[in-house]
Structure formats: structure tokens, C-alpha cells
Amino acid sequence: MRSVGSIHSVANRYAGQLQLCFSRSSISFSLASSIHAHMIASGFEPRDHIRNRLIDVYCKSSKLAYAKHLFDEIPEPDIVARTTIISAYSATGNLKLARGIFSKTPLSMRDTVFYNAMITAYSHNDDGQAAVELFCNMRRNDFKPDNFTFTSVLGALAFVADGEKQCQQMHCAVLKSGTGWVTSVLNALISVYINCATSPSVSSTSSLMGAARRLFDEMPVRDELSWTTVITGYVRNDDLDTARELLDGMTEKLGVAWNAMISGYIHHGLYQDALELFRKMLSMGIQLDEFTYTSLVSGCANAGFFQLGKEVHAHILRTVPKPAPDFSLPVNNALVTLYCRCEKVDKAKNIFEKMPMRDVVSWNAVLSGYVNAGKIDEARSLFKEMPERNALTWIVMISGLAQNGYGEESLKLFNWMKFNGFEPCDYAFAGAITSSGVLGSLEQGRQLHAQLLKYGFESSLSAENSLITMYSRCGVVEAAHRVFLTMPYVDSVSWNAMVAALGQHGHGHQAIELYEEMLKAGIVPDRITFLNVLSACSHAGLAEEGGHYFDSMYTFYGIAPGEDHYARFIDLLCRAGKFSEAKDVIESMPFEPGAPIWEALLAGCRIHGNMDLGIQAAERLFEMIPQHDGTYVLLSNMYAVMGRRDDVAKVRKLMRDRGVKKEPGCSWIDVENKVHVFLVDDTGHPEVLAVYNYLEQLGLEMRKLGYVPDTKFVLHDMEAAQKEYALSTHSEKLAVAYGLMKLPPGATVRVFKNLRICGDCHNAFMFMSKLVQREIVVRDGKRFHHFRDGKCSCGGYW
């Protein structure tokens, strides 16, 4: 049997050995476990202080299972062991287990340090309300808070305080406790005032910032955090001048505070000020770190300052030849984003491939670059290679596919995202809804709308904006308008989408009225707004109004019209037959007219039969885009309408000689959640014979109402009967007839076509809508046509 002295000697030896497990840089788990194993093998029964030291080593070595096993073996763990294990659970985010141990600890055992551990656990795991409640409980139970208590609870309160009263109450508690001179406590209290000042629900911002500033000015000792907290507070409250005054008044070279100021300038778009401050840091010898460079490079990316960004990149390469991982990863991620934003995606990929370390941010940055550049094949490959994906990865890919015309693939990816366990957010829904609009799949769009409401995203701006566009592109402009009117908040994208929707559906006057409402609401129009307004005027024949809005772009808003604006304005003038005005505009342009300008001119000449000017426009297009089939088709149509068959043949021969193939016309319709596609003279659809028979019957009835097939739209030279038959096989007629056959009585028929609707088909649908007493909606390559009671929404102006 061992003597008491011998036991003490062994205990002291083990205690000394365990002390060796704690070095300056790391904790030796292997040494601790060896010592523990020796204790067990020797039969030594460790006392509380030895067990507590082992538990501490295991916790700090992230071996929580070992610590918990040892803790559970103790019949009555003391307060030190309980505090240690609570802190360990806090570090792993397991608040439930931490709170369980806390609650089972008798009040008589507890002390201030024990309460501090639990309050810190809540604070570090973003449960500010629970931290404050426990602090109040601690005081009710007569435990005296110390400076660590206040630092933790104030850190938690900073994220939940929503009024000046809460700040003042905690301030009083600090003063009564006697910790009002402790720098860490004062820093935390200043942070509470500042966070409360920036809360949207607080109106007394100036008084809260004033209280924070008084605390700062009265501090007996200030550290780096003191300066950074106050400067950041002024930045967050948009008071950059005061923040800069504080920075300039600092005697110490505190890089973190300078970084906060640079970040503030970047956030507010003051890139020149940020650059000047960066240069001043260099001249003063202030240490630059990854936060400095990341802010500056990100600013260059946001502002599109590619050359400046390259200079910063060069400076990094010169001054940081061997960057540490903590430096290189965020800086390289920012550089990849810079090159992608500035359309240098290949250079971005080069940086990415040379990165010694990558994370999901790195992969997402390159993926976004490929998507935004329209390089979908490369994006697909990168997406498949990614070792890790987060919600942003899926959103980027879903939205990218939708915006680049891959609607079906985008919807499949949306469903695959859910299958992989990712809950769709509002941005993912926005991408999927956009895809439904691309496909013209109204039923799919409605289902996604219902899911959006189920998930509680009905207030999402991005999702609601996508709904406006989806309903518009699916031919239900009334539903788009309802979404717009019921949105809790609208931005310029919402207004632009609704103006575009009304314009595409031929409601030019309503589009202009909405634009005027937008101006009254204080929304400043951008270049997209004017594109939409000009299109709306063009589709409705509002030449005078269109001219006014075109002139106002630069006169009132300082927006220089681009080629796309000129093209739409010229299209507007030509549709109205104002060819001399259109020529004057072309001659006055500040740049050489490109293909879009001549295409607009040629289209207008076709409408009004202006052969001479149309031929000039076609010749210019043949020079610029000789392989574009649209020019040949428009010119052929012009000759055909004028009865110049020889010239039609010449144009067709020119196409053959140059190897230009006309894009085949196709139309599609969604019936019972299945898309049915029809080609001209279709023989592939399983029910096409029934469709031809039905069309023949409709044709007989339509002739009784006065319909006569307009054979001038047949480009081939053939017999009259053959021409009439050729007209009856147009893809849009087949799709509309199929819809009339299959959809329930009275249901609107919605058909989508890749090319411009044929003149004879347009005429036929007016008669058809009157005959069957149903609305027929056709979306062609340019706009929507709503046929109802023998009339079209375009008023014959298309």
C-alpha cells in the first residue's frame, strides 16, 4: 500500500508531465494520452486537478470525445471541469450540450467564471438574446460580473440591441461594476452603441454615435480595436469625413484602422480616395496585409478599373514574392474576380490554376467569369470538376444557363440542386423562373411561383422581378402587371421589366404612362429603360413620342445613346415611314453605323416597299455580315411582295453560292405539360395528319368570313393552289391548330415562334380568333400578337 507521501509524489510527477503537454505553439495530445495510459496501467487514481488537466488537454486538442468520456467518469465533477467542458462544447457550436451541463450544475457550485463560459458560448454562437438573459439571471442570483463577463455579454448585445434604452442600461451596469476603465469592456460598449446606431429600426442615430464617441474620447487607454471600431462606425453611418478626421489624428500606424477606411471608401464608390489612402499607407510605411489588397482589388473590379487593378497586381507580385496561405488565398480570389469582371476570363483562369490553395470562393469566381462571358461549355466542365459546391455555385450555374438560352437544362439543374440537399433560395428560384420564360412554359412558371410562395420568398425583389419577365414572355402580361402592383418594394429593374412587358405586348401608351409614373416615383432611368421605351414606341407607332424620349436621354439624364438605342430609334422612324428622318439620324451618329442600324433600316423598307433604300441597306449588310440569313430573307420578301420573281431567284442563288442556310421556322406550344414542336410542312408530329384536316376545315369556314390566302408571302414560283397549300403548312398555323384541337374550350392558345410571323398567318389568325371565339397569342422573334374577336393587339403595326 502506497503512503500518502508517495501518492503525492506520483501525483506531482504526473502533473509536471502534463504541464509539458502545453507548449507555446501547440498542445501535445499524443503525450497526454500516453501519460493517461500510464496512469491507468499503473493503477493510479488521479485526483480532480489531474483529471481537470487531462480534460483541458483533450478539449484543446479537439478530442472532445476523450474529454467527455473522462468527464462522465467523475462522480461529482468540480466547477473547473464543468467550465472546461462547457467552453469545449461552445467551440464546436454544441450549445444544447453546453446548456445541459450548465443547467445541471447546482447554484451553490457556480461562480463568475462558470457563468462567463456559458455567456461566451452564446455570444460566440450568435445567440445574443440568450447571452443577455443569462447575464440578467447571473445578476439576480447575486454573482458579480467581471470585465470578461461584460466583454462577452456586450459582444452579444451588439447584434440584438434595437434601442438606445438597452445601450444605456448596460452602460450603467458597467459603471456600477467598476469595470468602466477596462479597455476591452469599453471597446465592446462602443461597439454596442455603434451597432445599435446602424440598426434600421433606430431613429436616434446621431445620439448613439455621440455616446460612442464620448466613450472613445474619455478612454484612459486606447488600442487598435478602439480606433478601428469607431472609424468603422462612422463609415457604416456614411460619415466618411469624420472617420477620415479620426484616422488622420492617429499617432500610431495602425494598419487595421487604415484598412477600415479604405474599405469604407470602396463601399461608397470613392475609388480615387481609396487609392490615395493606399498610396499614403505605402509612403508612411504602414504594413499592408491581405485585407488592404483585397479591398483595393475588389474596388477595381467593382468600378471596372482594369488597368489600375493590373498595377495593384504587379505591386503585389513585386513586394510579396512568397505570400503566406492566409494572404494568398483571399488576394488571389479577389484578383480572379477582377479579371473575370473585366472580361479577361482566360487570364483569371491562369491565376486560378497557379493558386497553391483554392476554396469554393475561388471556383465560384471562375465559374461566374465563364458564365458572364457566355462560355457555357467551359462553365459546364468547371462545374463538373468542382470538389465542393455551395448554394452560390448552383445559383450561378442555374442563372447562367437561363440567361444564355439553355432554359431546359437550367430547370433540370434546379431540380438536381434540390435532389442534392440544397434548399433553393430566392436567387435560385429567380434563375428557374427565368428559364420558364425562356422556354415559354407558363405552367412550369406557375408551379415555380407557387413553390416560391410556399418557401416564403414572396417579398424577394430578384424573384418577383423574374416573375414579371416570365409572365410577360409566356404571353400573360396581365399576370405580370399583377405581380408588379403587389410587390412590397420595386426597384429600377422592376420598372424596366414592366415597361418592356407592356411594350412587347403592343401596349405602347400604357408603357409610356408607366415610364412617367417611374419618373414621378423618383427612379432615375438608365440605358435599359430607354431601350424599353423606344421599343414600346416602335411597336405602337408612336414616332413623335419616341423622338422626344430619344432626345431626353442625353439632354436630361446625360446618357449618350449607344448603337442599340440608335437602332431602335431608326426602327421606330422606318416603321412610321419616316425614311428621310432616319437617314438624317444615321448621318448624324457619332460613330459608323453597324449591322443593327442597317437591319433596322432594311426591315422598315420591307414594310413600306422602299426598294431603293432597302437594297442599299442590304448591300451594306452583305459586306458586314455576309453569312447572316436574315438579310437575304428580308430582301427576298421585298422582291416577292413587288412581284419581282427574277430578283427573288437571284437572292436565293446568292445564298446557295455563299453557303448561307435559312434558319428553319419552328413553332411550339405547351399542352398538358408537354412541349409540342412543329416545323414548316411538318410530317414528324404523331398527330400532324389530324392537324392538317382540322386546318382544312377551319380554312373553309374562314373563307366564308372573308379570309383569302395572301400568296405573295410564298417565295417559290408555283401554281396558285400550291401556293395556298404552302401557306397552310407554316409552323405557326400547325401549332395554333393543335392548340385549338387539344386545349379545353375557351382556353387561350399560346404559341411561340423562333422567326417573325408570316403576314398571311397574321391575317389568318385574326379570322380564326373570330371564328372559334378564343384568344390566340403568338410570340414571334420580335413581339407578341394577341388575336381576339378578329383583331390583333398590334393594330396591323408590326
Side-chain angles (χ1 to χ4, degrees), residues 161 163-171 189 192-193 196 208:
E164 190 170 3
K165 186 177 180 182
Q166 282 180 294
C167 301
Q168 291 173 341
Q169 287 174 340
M170 194 61 75
H171 194 167
L189 187 57
V192 170
Y193 275 115
C196 197
L208 288 163

Side-chain angles (χ1 to χ4, degrees), residues 106-249:
L107 197 64
S108 58
M109 285 185 68
R110 299 178 186 179
D111 60 13
T112 297
V113 176
F114 182 67
Y115 271 98
N116 288 352
M118 195 64 226
I119 289 171
T120 302
Y122 283 129
S123 180
H124 286 177
N125 288 278
D126 300 326
D127 193 345
Q129 199 61 48
V132 174
E133 288 173 3
L134 188 60
F135 171 77
C136 295
N137 175 273
M138 173 186 181
R139 296 181 71 198
R140 281 195 298 269
N141 289 318
D142 295 327
F143 289 93
K144 187 178 179 181
D146 59 17
N147 56 321
F148 296 106
T149 316
F150 279 110
T151 301
S152 293
V153 76
L154 287 167
L157 182 64
F159 297 100
V160 296
D162 57 3
E164 190 170 3
K165 186 177 180 182
Q166 282 180 294
C167 301
Q168 291 173 341
Q169 287 174 340
M170 194 61 75
H171 194 167
C172 289
V174 167
L175 295 175
K176 288 179 181 178
S177 72
T179 60
W181 55 271
V182 179
T183 302
S184 62
V185 174
L186 290 173
N187 285 343
L189 187 57
I190 289 169
S191 183
V192 170
Y193 275 115
I194 288 172
N195 276 277
C196 197
T198 56
S199 172
S201 60
V202 171
S203 56
S204 54
T205 298
S206 58
S207 63
L208 288 163
M209 282 303 301
R213 181 59 185 271
R214 282 192 297 276
L215 274 173
F216 174 80
D217 290 339
E218 294 168 3
M219 287 180 75
V221 178
R222 303 187 190 109
D223 61 10
E224 189 173 52
L225 182 59
S226 314
W227 287 97
T228 306
T229 301
V230 175
I231 288 172
T232 303
Y234 281 119
V235 168
R236 286 171 60 189
N237 279 281
D238 302 327
D239 190 353
L240 297 182
D241 292 337
T242 305
R244 184 59 187 269
E245 283 177 18
L246 266 176
L247 186 77
D248 291 339

Side-chain angles (χ1 to χ4, degrees), residues 348-638:
K349 183 67 185 300
N350 187 38
I351 295 171
F352 172 82
E353 288 175 341
K354 292 179 180 178
M355 287 174 67
M357 185 187 300
R358 303 172 191 151
D359 60 8
V360 71
V361 176
S362 323
W363 288 88
N364 284 344
V366 179
L367 183 70
S368 298
Y370 278 132
V371 164
N372 293 334
K375 297 185 175 184
I376 298 300
D377 289 339
E378 291 90 337
R380 286 194 192 99
S381 298
L382 196 74
F383 182 79
K384 290 176 183 176
E385 289 176 32
M386 292 181 71
E388 179 190 359
R389 296 169 185 157
N390 62 9
L392 180 60
T393 313
W394 293 92
I395 292 167
V396 167
M397 202 64 207
I398 290 167
S399 301
L401 289 168
Q403 290 161 9
N404 285 276
Y406 298 94
E408 188 173 352
E409 189 178 346
S410 174
L411 287 173
K412 287 179 179 177
L413 198 63
F414 178 77
N415 293 326
W416 184 241
M417 176 191 73
K418 293 194 289 183
F419 179 78
N420 277 271
F422 286 88
E423 284 285 316
C425 66
D426 53 338
Y427 292 105
F429 270 111
I433 290 167
T434 299
S435 299
S436 299
V438 170
L439 295 171
S441 180
L442 178 61
E443 191 54 40
Q444 178 71 52
R446 283 172 170 162
Q447 290 176 12
L448 286 167
H449 191 175
Q451 291 177 38
L452 185 77
L453 298 175
K454 181 180 177 182
Y455 275 89
F457 295 135
E458 61 270 22
S459 298
S460 165
L461 194 57
S462 60
E464 295 284 284
N465 287 342
S466 68
L467 282 171
I468 294 173
T469 302
M470 182 275 292
Y471 279 121
S472 170
R473 296 192 70 171
C474 289
V476 196
V477 70
E478 300 82 5
H481 203 196
R482 279 196 300 273
V483 170
F484 177 79
L485 292 174
T486 55
M487 286 172 68
Y489 172 75
V490 292
D491 62 359
S492 60
V493 176
S494 319
W495 289 96
N496 285 347
M498 198 61 234
V499 170
L502 291 169
Q504 287 174 341
H505 287 266
H507 306 302
H509 289 287
Q510 293 95 317
I512 288 174
E513 288 172 7
L514 190 68
Y515 169 72
E516 295 294 342
E517 285 182 34
M518 170 183 165
L519 298 183
K520 291 176 184 175
I523 303 294
V524 179
D526 56 22
R527 66 182 315 278
I528 303 298
T529 312
F530 285 105
L531 285 173
N532 294 332
V533 169
L534 290 170
S535 290
C537 292
S538 181
H539 289 316
L542 305 174
E544 186 175 337
E545 292 87 342
H548 164 71
Y549 291 122
F550 182 82
D551 292 337
S552 72
M553 277 184 68
Y554 188 78
T555 305
F556 294 110
Y557 301 104
I559 301 173
E563 187 175 43
D564 44 2
H565 295 100
Y566 276 103
R568 297 199 186 188
F569 185 43
I570 289 162
D571 179 67
L572 164 66
L573 293 172
C574 291
R575 283 175 182 272
K578 298 177 178 292
F579 292 105
S580 59
E581 289 93 329
K583 288 175 68 177
D584 290 341
V585 171
I586 293 173
E587 290 171 1
S588 68
M589 285 169 55
F591 44 79
E592 283 295 313
I597 304 297
W598 298 113
E599 286 175 338
L601 186 62
L602 178 58
C605 291
R606 185 202 60 79
I607 294 170
H608 294 280
N610 190 329
M611 288 299 306
D612 293 338
L613 191 56
I615 291 170
Q616 291 178 35
E619 287 175 348
R620 295 301 300 272
L621 287 168
F622 288 149
E623 295 172 7
M624 294 180 175
I625 44 174
Q627 296 302 117
H628 181 54
D629 65 325
T631 308
Y632 300 89
V633 172
L634 280 174
L635 190 59
S636 294
N637 287 339
M638 286 180 66

